[in-house]
Amino acid sequence: MRLVPRSLGGRLALLLVLAVVGAQAVAFAMFAHESSRVGRAAARTQVVDRIATLVRLLDAVQPDTVPSVVAAYGSPRHRFTIDAESLVPEGAMGPDEARLARRIDRRMKDDASQSRIALVERDVGEDSSQGRLSDRTQALRVSVRLDDGRWLNAEAPLASRTPPWMRIALIQVLASVVAVLLVVAIARRGIVGPVADLARAAERAGRGATFEPLPERGPIELRTMTAAFNLMQERSGAFVADRTRMLAAISHDLRTPIASLWLRAEMVEDAELRAAMVRTISDMGRMVDATLAFARDDALAQNGGPLDLAEMVRALVEDHVVLGRDVTVLSPADLPFHGRPVALRRALDNLVGNAVRYSDRARITLERGGDGIRVLIDDDGPGIPPDRIEEMFAPFARLEGSRNADTGGTGLGLAIARSAIRAHGGDVTLVNRADGGLRAEVTLPA
């Protein structure tokens, strides 16, 4: 399971939620610490004030009413008793406790040292080490000597119950997370959405698809980037269109003198010389046609659409079988695909033609996978030296050095095939088979 989302919106939401929760956690920790410290100080002050008030009250009432007054003055959190012994041992007070004891003494009698205070671990059996009152969170025990020699003992917990603001804090965290997600939803519409549209458009442009200019929306930086992308696409389309028109004119101009040379060659009386000249002119024509076809790149000019790749390959095989070639195909009944049929058929035809040219037979296999489509074209030819396989995809690259069509053509077939297949988001590779021959493997995105 991926903990980090792959999309920009998901990562933005995750980072903002983590930032908000982290900041809230630090703020709540600081607030809890400060609240606890203030709460302990308030609890100590409350105990001291209640003790001083109770002592003054006991001095003003009749002796027989003292037990009832002490019982009425108590509460679930504050317990008061009158005993013969002090609840706090003598000498148990630290500096902070002694300061609080003097505070009680000042509120009763001038400089009368008759109060004792100690901080204890109420729920722990063993004694706790001495420390500052502000660092303790357990119980405060107070003993005050009365005029009759008895001791007024009091005990009150300093640890407060779970404060109500903890529940409020959790609600605040949830509200902050919801607010962040709402902000991310707005950002996704105004920022992430245009970025995703731009990414999809760039992918389509890389495959040669044509589309309308993207709307410029979002922040100024994103608008500038979208405008630059639209301008790049416009200039690229204009460049391709100008190049296509130029090459069409060149094609027309070249074919005319080649045809003229052909006619003049037919008038040569020497049969052997005439045959050689016609063969050379024919090779020139094929080279010009192949060069113009590669440079024009018809795959970029044709709009894509739905097609049945299996049906296309079967039709291609039938065309080769009609010409007496040994070509077979193994494929599913249908194989839906979205692409440019003319460009794909031309690329596959070049690969099948190479297989037939070098081994007199070709076996085609179509496979559907989870992540794409594979087209395997196997032959029984001599193969290609491993160090020259990549070189064969370069324009005009041939194993045989001449340009004779009978010994391998012009060397543009593989270059045209790779250009068309990559324009569909796929690729083509060549590999020597272990049992002899060569395999051309075409991969296309599903």
Side-chain angles (χ1 to χ4, degrees):
M1 183 179 65
R2 290 183 60 89
L3 298 179
V4 180
R6 298 181 62 181
S7 65
L8 178 60
R11 294 192 177 189
L12 178 62
L14 178 62
L15 290 176
L16 289 178
V17 167
L18 290 179
V20 169
V21 172
Q24 294 278 16
V26 173
F28 290 152
M30 296 174 61
F31 181 76
H33 175 74
E34 188 65 19
S35 176
S36 177
R37 188 182 67 83
V38 173
R40 289 195 301 268
R44 291 195 302 269
T45 301
Q46 184 181 21
V47 172
V48 169
D49 290 343
R50 288 176 67 88
I51 285 288
T53 302
L54 180 58
V55 170
R56 290 197 304 271
L57 182 60
L58 293 178
D59 290 339
V61 300
Q62 297 297 325
D64 56 343
T65 62
V66 168
S68 60
V69 172
V70 171
Y73 202 74
S75 69
R77 290 179 56 82
H78 299 86
R79 184 168 57 89
F80 299 96
T81 60
I82 296 180
D83 305 302
E85 299 293 336
S86 171
L87 187 62
V88 179
E90 185 177 2
M93 292 190 300
D96 291 336
E97 290 88 342
R99 185 172 63 254
L100 284 175
R102 288 194 296 271
R103 179 176 177 179
I104 297 177
D105 293 340
R106 286 194 300 271
R107 299 189 61 176
M108 293 184 299
K109 296 180 180 179
D110 294 338
D111 298 328
S113 178
Q114 54 185 351
S115 301
R116 300 176 184 177
I117 298 178
L119 187 68
V120 297
E121 296 288 343
R122 194 177 186 188
D123 298 328
V124 179
E126 59 185 9
D127 294 335
S128 176
S129 58
Q130 295 294 329
R132 294 185 59 84
L133 283 177
S134 60
D135 296 332
R136 318 304 296 172
T137 59
Q138 298 302 316
L140 190 68
R141 289 180 178 177
V142 182
S143 296
V144 178
R145 186 180 179 86
L146 300 177
D147 291 340
D148 59 3
R150 292 182 299 172
W151 290 85
L152 175 62
N153 295 318
E155 181 176 340
L158 294 182
S160 61
R161 299 184 181 93
T162 301
W165 57 262
M166 290 294 293
R167 184 170 59 255
I168 299 175
L170 293 177
I171 296 175
Q172 183 177 351
V173 170
L174 292 178
S176 300
V177 171
V178 172
V180 166
L181 295 179
L182 290 177
V183 171
V184 171
I186 297 174
R188 181 178 180 83
R189 181 178 179 86
I191 299 177
V192 180
V195 170
D197 293 341
L198 185 60
R200 287 191 291 269
E203 181 184 5
R204 294 177 59 193
R207 291 188 293 176
T210 58
F211 48 87
E212 295 296 325
L214 296 176
E216 299 176 13
R217 56 194 180 98
I220 184 63
E221 294 83 1
L222 188 56
R223 290 173 179 267
T224 302
M225 183 168 60
T226 304
F229 178 81
N230 289 335
L231 181 60
M232 179 188 68
Q233 282 297 105
E234 181 182 357
R235 290 177 176 175
S236 177
F239 171 76
V240 172
D242 291 343
R243 187 187 67 171
T244 302
R245 286 193 294 268
M246 178 188 67
L247 292 176
I250 293 176
S251 175
H252 178 272
D253 292 343
L254 285 177
R255 286 184 178 128
T256 299
I258 288 177
S260 177
L261 287 175
W262 195 303
L263 291 175
R264 294 179 182 181
E266 292 292 344
M267 298 179 184
V268 176
E269 296 182 358
D270 190 333
E272 184 177 353
L273 178 59
R274 181 173 63 251
M277 293 178 64
V278 169
R279 185 167 54 251
T280 301
I281 295 173
S282 178
D283 290 342
M284 288 174 59
R286 282 193 296 269
M287 290 178 61
V288 168
D289 290 340
T291 303
L292 293 177
F294 174 72
R296 185 164 53 247
D297 199 355
D298 292 337
L300 296 178
Q302 182 190 17
N303 293 326
L307 59 93
D308 187 345
L309 194 59
E311 180 63 28
M312 174 192 292
V313 173
R314 285 194 290 268
L316 175 65
V317 170
E318 290 177 2
D319 291 344
H320 283 274
V321 171
V322 168
L323 297 176
R325 297 168 181 170
D326 185 3
V327 181
T328 59
V329 60
L330 178 63
S331 70
D334 56 11
L335 200 57
F337 187 71
H338 191 281
R340 293 172 286 276
V342 173
L344 274 178
R345 179 185 173 92
R346 178 178 168 192
L348 296 177
D349 190 33
N350 286 349
L351 297 175
V352 174
N354 282 346
V356 172
R357 179 180 295 114
Y358 290 106
S359 71
D360 295 330
R361 63 178 301 190
R363 295 182 298 279
I364 308 174
T365 305
L366 273 71
E367 299 177 351
R368 188 203 317 263
D371 56 347
I373 298 173
R374 291 203 313 164
V375 183
L376 308 179
I377 302 173
D378 297 334
D379 64 46
D380 298 325
I384 299 175
D387 59 338
R388 297 197 61 187
I389 287 181
E390 187 61 28
E391 177 188 344
M392 293 298 100
F393 289 101
F396 304 109
R398 297 176 68 247
L399 286 176
E400 195 272 331
S402 70
R403 297 298 174 196
N404 192 324
D406 297 331
T407 60
T410 60
L412 286 172
L414 289 177
I416 294 173
R418 171 175 276 189
S419 176
I421 292 171
R422 284 184 172 178
H424 285 80
D427 204 355
V428 56
T429 57
L430 301 178
V431 60
N432 291 307
R433 298 166 55 220
D435 52 351
L438 187 72
R439 165 173 289 181
E441 180 175 346
V442 177
T443 57
L444 295 169

